[in-house]
Amino acid sequence: MAALFGSVLLLVCVHESQALDLLSATATSGDAPPVPRVYCWCASYPNVTTCSWPEPSPSAPARYIATYRERNNQESTKECHLIPPGPSSSSYEQLWRCHLPNLKLLTDYIINVTAVHSSGSSSHLTSFMLEDIVKPDRPVDIRVSPHGPRKMLLEWSPPPTWTNMNILPLKYHIVYKWIHRGTPMLVNLGPFENTRMELRGLTLGRTYLFQVCAEELLGLGERSDWSLPVNFTVPRPNH
Ligand SMILES: *[C@@H]1O[C@H](CO)[C@@H](O)[C@H](O)[C@H]1NC(C)=O
Ligand SMILES: *[C@@H]1O[C@H](CO)[C@@H](O)[C@H](O)[C@H]1NC(C)=O
Ligand SMILES: *[C@@H]1O[C@H](CO)[C@@H](O)[C@H](O)[C@H]1NC(C)=O
């Protein structure tokens, strides 16, 4: 029977700093479904961890089995609760997701996502430690208002999904961009712990584009994506 399964094992060299180590990707036959491309992140340290992978199209839809366990404890294997892609009309990739509740701190985990077809199966095994995959969602509700001559106030709200703000605060980075004689210019500021910032020395009549991102205060994991940009044109004084 074993001869029926040509096994392909890819062991990928991983960079030390890579938060998610690919342990192996395996397919059990030539017709097996593609190995799921799994990405895991923790949007609210320590207890909102999600892994997701795209549903490959146009290949036939597969069934998935997702399990996770502590790396040093075979016995701790649990099923990850699967959430199929929602009905979506957009051209975005259809994403499968699964939630990993109540992970232990400072512990290596292994997640095994297996796509199963009638023709075979393919597994993606990755290892991660919660602290390395922290990635807040982006800040929301970016507001800009005039705040005196050539000054303005930039305000924003933390990502609503980051639930432990009192114990685990975030810090923020700002970028603002403008065009000067056809050349794109940008200024990066931060980190700040406040959710508002006064900006001075702006040019009257010029349009600036602002974005904010969030990072765990101690620098765990990585920064959020940049918020959606907000434009502001510095008003010229009325004579
Ligand atoms: C996260 O865990 C803490 C403590 O275990 C709990 O109080 C809190 O409700 C949890 N939050 C979520 C969103 O599950
Ligand atoms: C991954 O999960 C699949 C499906 O449960 C299982 O057949 C396979 O043995 C697992 N791989 C490893 C290395 O544990
Ligand atoms: C902001 O303004 C720039 C230039 O004025 C424009 O190209 C861009 O589309 C605007 N962006 C948004 C989000 O309004």
Side-chain angles (χ1 to χ4, degrees):
M1 282 303 275
L4 288 176
F5 299 95
S7 183
V8 189
L9 184 70
L10 306 168
L11 277 174
V12 176
C13 261
V14 285
H15 200 257
E16 285 265 303
S17 69
Q18 203 169 319
L20 217 57
D21 294 348
L22 179 59
L23 296 178
S24 72
T26 347
T28 51
S29 82
D31 290 332
V35 173
R37 288 185 287 121
V38 181
Y39 173 72
C40 300
W41 77 102
C42 172
S44 181
Y45 186 73
N47 52 5
V48 183
T49 305
T50 308
C51 292
S52 90
W53 58 93
E55 168 90 63
S57 60
S59 75
R63 188 167 66 85
Y64 292 96
I65 302 170
T67 57
Y68 63 102
R69 65 172 173 90
E70 291 165 39
R71 193 165 187 165
N72 298 322
N73 182 358
Q74 294 268 10
E75 254 73 288
S76 65
T77 303
K78 294 193 179 94
E79 289 249 350
C80 191
H81 177 61
L82 286 173
I83 302 166
S88 163
S89 51
S90 75
S91 57
Y92 277 87
E93 280 184 314
Q94 298 269 291
L95 290 178
W96 280 82
R97 282 180 298 142
C98 81
H99 290 304
L100 294 72
N102 307 321
L103 298 184
K104 293 185 188 164
L105 307 188
L106 299 168
T107 303
D108 265 319
Y109 280 91
I110 293 179
I111 179 161
N112 171 357
V113 178
T114 301
V116 185
H117 254 196
S118 49
S119 57
S121 67
S122 303
S123 298
H124 177 117
L125 253 70
T126 39
S127 160
F128 63 85
M129 197 185 267
L130 197 46
E131 287 69 21
D132 294 330
I133 60 163
V134 171
K135 185 182 180 189
D137 287 331
R138 47 180 151 202
V140 295
D141 199 15
I142 318 295
R143 285 146 286 157
V144 191
S145 51
H147 202 59
R150 295 158 65 91
K151 290 195 288 191
M152 41 133 286
L153 187 66
L154 181 65
E155 298 171 279
W156 58 91
S157 302
T161 44
W162 189 267
T163 48
N164 294 319
M165 194 59 85
N166 297 334
I167 314 163
L168 294 156
L170 295 172
K171 59 185 175 185
Y172 303 93
H173 304 264
I174 292 173
V175 65
Y176 62 97
K177 302 176 186 173
W178 68 96
I179 308 284
H180 181 62
R181 295 171 195 266
T183 308
M185 313 286 282
L186 72 83
V187 169
N188 276 291
L189 297 174
F192 308 109
E193 291 180 48
N194 276 336
T195 54
R196 67 208 312 260
M197 185 68 209
E198 188 188 77
L199 300 173
R200 298 159 175 269
L202 302 176
T203 302
L204 301 179
R206 177 174 281 164
T207 297
Y208 295 90
L209 190 149
F210 298 92
Q211 287 172 288
V212 184
C213 76
E215 185 180 17
E216 195 278 329
L217 184 62
L218 303 177
L220 283 185
E222 57 178 301
R223 295 180 185 185
S224 73
D225 292 338
W226 287 106
S227 65
L228 299 176
V230 167
N231 269 353
F232 181 74
T233 304
V234 183
R236 292 179 190 281
N238 297 320
H239 296 290

